[in-house]
Amino acid sequence: DVKVTQSSRYLVKRTGEKVFLECVQDMDHENMFWYRQDPGLGLRLIYFSYDVKMKEKGDIPEGYSVSREKKERFSLILESASTNQTSMYLCASSLGGQLNYGYTFGSGTRLTVV
Amino acid sequence: QKEVEQNSGPLSVPEGAIASLNCTYSDRGSQSFFWYRQYSGKSPELIMSIYSNGDKEDGRFTAQLNKASQYVSLLIRDSQPSDSATYLCALIKAAGNKLTFGGGTRVLVKP
């Protein structure tokens, strides 16, 4: 089974801090994605990557950046955390060109910014 | 109009009955469709995928796709309390390769 591992299950950070959320997958997937999920707003795509060192903006990239230096790892960075970034963050991966399988999600990181 | 629309529910279903969930979408060129189940506090897990018009069955789950009418549905037969969760409809739009999600339908199966 594909495993997508997010480094932290719960995080509490202060306003203005730089925050790193890490995601690692172990099945050589080309595609990786970062979503946030909020009540009433559903899953919203922040950034995604189709290959190492490649990244593309999703629907809500403002206030975030990403890094993909290795194929298995995709990091989400909150440059200066704000309270409106309190959310559940979900990482996902999928095979390139094999969209029949959909995504595999990590267990999520619940981030609280105080 | 939202790209993927679902009734938020809750959809209350007696144990053993059929739960019927619907999803409509706006991009006529959408090509692949997925149903995810998400338990409270957990991440989504893929339960069904469908690409062609018609029905696809997998155990107690049946996905139905009608591209002409732009809807996809999920039937859960013999509903169990363990089926109580939020069900997310997702699709890949034309010329795209990332998923767009609906807001989800919360299902409650009562013993």
Side-chain angles (χ1 to χ4, degrees):
Chain A
D1 276 356
V2 177
K3 234 185 174 177
V4 179
T5 303
Q6 294 185 231
S7 54
S8 303
R9 188 77 177 94
Y10 298 96
L11 272 180
V12 180
K13 296 292 182 180
R14 294 192 180 277
T15 301
E17 275 193 76
K18 191 168 185 176
V19 180
F20 293 85
L21 303 182
E22 305 288 345
C23 176
V24 177
Q25 50 91 7
D26 65 0
M27 283 297 288
D28 204 34
H29 280 181
E30 286 80 7
N31 306 325
M32 297 188 75
F33 307 84
W34 275 107
Y35 285 84
R36 64 177 282 178
Q37 187 173 31
D38 302 285
L41 297 176
L43 279 157
R44 293 180 291 168
L45 182 63
I46 305 171
Y47 267 96
F48 58 103
S49 169
Y50 296 136
D51 203 348
V52 176
K53 296 194 185 294
M54 293 183 66
K55 59 185 179 183
E56 291 195 36
K57 294 179 180 179
D59 301 317
I60 51 163
E62 296 78 19
Y64 303 94
S65 62
V66 290
S67 171
R68 194 166 181 200
E69 296 296 319
K70 293 185 178 181
K71 191 174 186 179
E72 67 270 19
R73 186 181 296 269
F74 191 36
S75 302
L76 180 69
I77 304 155
L78 286 66
E79 298 290 344
S80 176
S82 63
T83 54
N84 63 13
Q85 292 178 310
T86 292
S87 186
M88 169 70 91
Y89 289 87
L90 290 162
C91 175
S93 72
S94 70
L95 280 171
Q98 295 289 336
L99 296 170
N100 290 358
Y101 299 108
Y103 293 179
T104 300
F105 282 89
S107 56
T109 296
R110 185 164 294 281
L111 173 67
T112 302
V113 182
V114 298
Chain B
Q1 182 186 5
K2 289 183 180 178
E3 293 179 300
V4 183
E5 296 219 47
Q6 297 181 254
N7 188 317
S8 61
L11 175 65
S12 188
V13 179
E15 184 174 358
I18 296 175
S20 178
L21 292 74
N22 294 314
C23 170
T24 59
Y25 59 93
S26 58
D27 184 339
R28 185 170 288 278
S30 298
Q31 48 186 306
S32 302
F33 303 84
F34 304 87
W35 284 98
Y36 283 81
R37 177 176 62 200
Q38 186 175 24
Y39 293 113
S40 180
K42 303 293 186 182
S43 60
E45 56 178 327
L46 179 66
I47 53 172
M48 290 285 290
S49 56
I50 187 166
Y51 320 103
S52 305
N53 282 328
D55 295 0
K56 180 181 178 182
E57 188 174 316
D58 185 358
R60 295 187 296 111
F61 298 100
T62 299
Q64 299 173 318
L65 175 60
N66 185 324
K67 290 186 178 180
S69 300
Q70 293 176 242
Y71 82 79
V72 57
S73 61
L74 180 70
L75 300 177
I76 307 173
R77 290 183 300 281
D78 188 24
S79 295
Q80 301 297 309
S82 59
D83 294 326
S84 297
T86 296
Y87 290 80
L88 301 169
C89 173
L91 56 81
I92 296 172
K93 296 191 289 185
N97 53 5
K98 59 185 189 296
L99 289 178
T100 300
F101 287 86
T105 298
R106 187 170 164 227
V107 173
L108 294 174
V109 180
K110 298 188 174 180

Coordinates of all heavy atoms in Angstrom, one line a residue, chain B residues 26-57:
Chain B
S26 N -20.2 21.0 -13.2 CA -20.5 22.1 -14.2 C -19.6 21.9 -15.4 O -20.0 22.3 -16.5 CB -20.2 23.4 -13.6 OG -18.9 23.6 -13.1
D27 N -18.4 21.3 -15.3 CA -17.6 21.2 -16.5 C -17.9 20.0 -17.3 O -17.6 18.8 -16.9 CB -16.1 21.1 -16.0 CG -15.1 21.1 -17.2 OD1 -15.5 20.8 -18.3 OD2 -13.9 21.4 -16.9
R28 N -18.5 20.2 -18.4 CA -19.1 19.1 -19.2 C -17.9 18.2 -19.7 O -18.1 17.0 -20.0 CB -19.8 19.6 -20.4 CG -20.5 18.6 -21.3 CD -21.5 19.3 -22.3 NE -22.6 19.8 -21.7 CZ -23.7 19.1 -21.4 NH1 -23.7 17.8 -21.6 NH2 -24.7 19.7 -20.8
G29 N -16.7 18.7 -19.8 CA -15.6 17.9 -20.3 C -14.9 17.0 -19.2 O -13.9 16.4 -19.4
S30 N -15.5 17.0 -18.0 CA -14.9 16.3 -16.9 C -14.8 14.8 -17.3 O -15.7 14.3 -17.9 CB -15.7 16.4 -15.6 OG -15.7 17.8 -15.2
Q31 N -13.7 14.2 -16.9 CA -13.4 12.9 -17.4 C -13.3 11.7 -16.4 O -13.6 10.6 -16.8 CB -12.0 13.0 -18.1 CG -10.9 13.6 -17.3 CD -9.6 13.8 -18.1 OE1 -9.1 12.9 -18.7 NE2 -9.1 15.1 -18.1
S32 N -12.9 12.0 -15.2 CA -12.8 10.9 -14.2 C -13.4 11.3 -13.0 O -13.3 12.5 -12.6 CB -11.3 10.6 -14.0 OG -10.6 10.2 -15.2
F33 N -14.1 10.4 -12.3 CA -14.9 10.7 -11.1 C -14.6 9.8 -10.0 O -14.4 8.6 -10.2 CB -16.4 10.7 -11.5 CG -16.7 11.5 -12.7 CD1 -16.6 11.1 -14.0 CD2 -17.2 12.8 -12.4 CE1 -16.8 11.9 -15.0 CE2 -17.5 13.7 -13.5 CZ -17.3 13.2 -14.8
F34 N -14.6 10.3 -8.8 CA -14.2 9.5 -7.6 C -15.1 9.8 -6.5 O -15.6 10.9 -6.3 CB -12.8 9.9 -7.2 CG -11.8 9.7 -8.3 CD1 -11.5 10.8 -9.2 CD2 -11.0 8.6 -8.5 CE1 -10.6 10.7 -10.2 CE2 -10.1 8.4 -9.5 CZ -9.9 9.5 -10.4
W35 N -15.3 8.8 -5.6 CA -16.0 9.0 -4.4 C -15.0 8.6 -3.2 O -14.3 7.6 -3.3 CB -17.2 8.1 -4.2 CG -18.4 8.5 -5.0 CD1 -18.8 8.1 -6.3 CD2 -19.3 9.6 -4.6 NE1 -19.9 8.8 -6.6 CE2 -20.2 9.7 -5.6 CE3 -19.4 10.3 -3.4 CZ2 -21.3 10.6 -5.6 CZ3 -20.5 11.2 -3.4 CH2 -21.4 11.4 -4.4
Y36 N -14.9 9.5 -2.3 CA -14.1 9.4 -1.1 C -14.9 9.3 0.1 O -16.0 10.0 0.2 CB -13.0 10.5 -1.0 CG -11.9 10.4 -1.9 CD1 -12.0 10.9 -3.2 CD2 -10.6 9.9 -1.5 CE1 -10.9 10.8 -4.1 CE2 -9.5 9.9 -2.3 CZ -9.7 10.3 -3.6 OH -8.6 10.2 -4.4
R37 N -14.5 8.5 1.1 CA -15.2 8.5 2.4 C -14.2 9.1 3.4 O -13.0 8.8 3.4 CB -15.5 7.1 2.8 CG -16.1 6.9 4.2 CD -16.5 5.4 4.4 NE -15.3 4.6 4.4 CZ -15.3 3.3 4.2 NH1 -16.4 2.7 4.0 NH2 -14.1 2.6 4.2
Q38 N -14.8 10.0 4.3 CA -14.0 10.6 5.3 C -14.7 10.5 6.6 O -15.8 11.1 6.8 CB -13.7 12.1 4.9 CG -12.8 12.8 5.9 CD -12.4 14.2 5.4 OE1 -13.2 14.9 4.7 NE2 -11.3 14.7 5.9
Y39 N -14.1 9.8 7.5 CA -14.6 9.8 8.9 C -14.1 11.0 9.6 O -13.1 11.6 9.3 CB -14.0 8.5 9.6 CG -14.6 7.2 9.1 CD1 -13.7 6.3 8.4 CD2 -15.9 6.9 9.2 CE1 -14.2 5.1 7.9 CE2 -16.4 5.7 8.7 CZ -15.6 4.8 8.1 OH -16.1 3.6 7.6
S40 N -14.9 11.4 10.7 CA -14.6 12.6 11.4 C -13.2 12.6 12.0 O -12.8 11.6 12.6 CB -15.6 12.7 12.6 OG -15.4 13.9 13.3
G41 N -12.4 13.7 11.7 CA -11.1 13.8 12.2 C -10.1 13.0 11.4 O -8.9 13.0 11.7
K42 N -10.5 12.3 10.3 CA -9.6 11.5 9.5 C -9.4 12.0 8.1 O -10.1 13.0 7.8 CB -10.1 10.0 9.5 CG -10.3 9.4 10.8 CD -9.0 9.1 11.5 CE -9.2 8.3 12.8 NZ -7.9 8.2 13.5
S43 N -8.5 11.5 7.4 CA -8.3 12.0 6.0 C -9.2 11.2 5.0 O -9.7 10.1 5.4 CB -6.8 11.8 5.6 OG -6.4 10.5 5.7
P44 N -9.5 11.7 3.9 CA -10.3 11.0 2.9 C -9.7 9.7 2.4 O -8.4 9.6 2.2 CB -10.5 12.0 1.7 CG -10.1 13.3 2.3 CD -9.1 13.0 3.4
E45 N -10.5 8.7 2.2 CA -10.0 7.4 1.6 C -10.8 7.1 0.4 O -12.1 7.2 0.4 CB -10.0 6.3 2.6 CG -11.4 6.0 3.2 CD -11.4 4.9 4.2 OE1 -10.6 3.9 3.9 OE2 -12.2 4.9 5.1
L46 N -10.2 6.7 -0.7 CA -10.9 6.4 -2.0 C -11.7 5.1 -1.9 O -11.2 4.1 -1.4 CB -9.8 6.3 -3.1 CG -10.4 6.0 -4.5 CD1 -11.2 7.1 -5.0 CD2 -9.2 5.7 -5.4
I47 N -13.0 5.2 -2.2 CA -13.8 4.0 -2.2 C -14.3 3.6 -3.6 O -14.5 2.4 -3.9 CB -15.0 4.1 -1.3 CG1 -15.8 5.4 -1.6 CG2 -14.6 4.2 0.2 CD1 -17.1 5.4 -0.8
M48 N -14.4 4.5 -4.6 CA -14.9 4.2 -5.9 C -14.3 5.2 -6.9 O -14.1 6.3 -6.6 CB -16.4 4.2 -6.0 CG -17.2 3.2 -5.2 SD -17.1 1.6 -6.0 CE -18.1 1.9 -7.5
S49 N -14.1 4.7 -8.1 CA -13.8 5.5 -9.2 C -14.6 5.1 -10.4 O -15.0 3.9 -10.5 CB -12.3 5.4 -9.6 OG -11.9 4.1 -9.9
I50 N -15.0 6.0 -11.3 CA -15.8 5.7 -12.5 C -15.5 6.6 -13.6 O -15.3 7.8 -13.4 CB -17.3 5.7 -12.1 CG1 -18.2 5.2 -13.3 CG2 -17.8 7.1 -11.6 CD1 -19.6 4.9 -12.9
Y51 N -15.4 6.1 -14.8 CA -15.0 6.9 -16.0 C -15.9 6.9 -17.1 O -15.9 7.8 -18.0 CB -13.6 6.4 -16.4 CG -12.7 6.0 -15.3 CD1 -12.5 4.7 -15.0 CD2 -12.1 7.0 -14.5 CE1 -11.7 4.4 -13.9 CE2 -11.3 6.7 -13.4 CZ -11.1 5.3 -13.1 OH -10.4 5.0 -12.1
S52 N -16.8 5.9 -17.2 CA -17.7 5.7 -18.3 C -19.1 5.8 -17.8 O -19.4 5.5 -16.7 CB -17.5 4.3 -19.0 OG -16.2 4.2 -19.4
N53 N -20.0 6.2 -18.7 CA -21.4 6.2 -18.4 C -21.9 4.9 -17.9 O -21.5 3.8 -18.5 CB -22.3 6.7 -19.6 CG -22.2 8.2 -19.8 OD1 -22.1 9.0 -18.8 ND2 -22.2 8.6 -21.0
G54 N -22.8 4.9 -17.0 CA -23.4 3.6 -16.5 C -23.1 3.4 -15.0 O -22.8 4.3 -14.3
D55 N -23.2 2.1 -14.7 CA -23.0 1.7 -13.3 C -21.7 0.9 -13.1 O -21.3 0.2 -14.0 CB -24.2 0.8 -12.8 CG -25.5 1.5 -12.8 OD1 -25.5 2.7 -13.1 OD2 -26.5 0.9 -12.5
K56 N -21.1 1.1 -11.9 CA -20.0 0.3 -11.5 C -20.2 -0.1 -10.1 O -20.4 0.7 -9.2 CB -18.7 1.1 -11.6 CG -17.4 0.4 -11.2 CD -16.2 1.3 -11.3 CE -15.0 0.5 -10.9 NZ -13.8 1.4 -10.9
E57 N -20.1 -1.5 -9.9 CA -20.4 -2.0 -8.5 C -19.1 -2.5 -7.9 O -18.2 -3.1 -8.6 CB -21.4 -3.2 -8.7 CG -21.9 -3.7 -7.4 CD -23.0 -4.7 -7.6 OE1 -23.9 -4.5 -8.5 OE2 -23.0 -5.8 -6.9

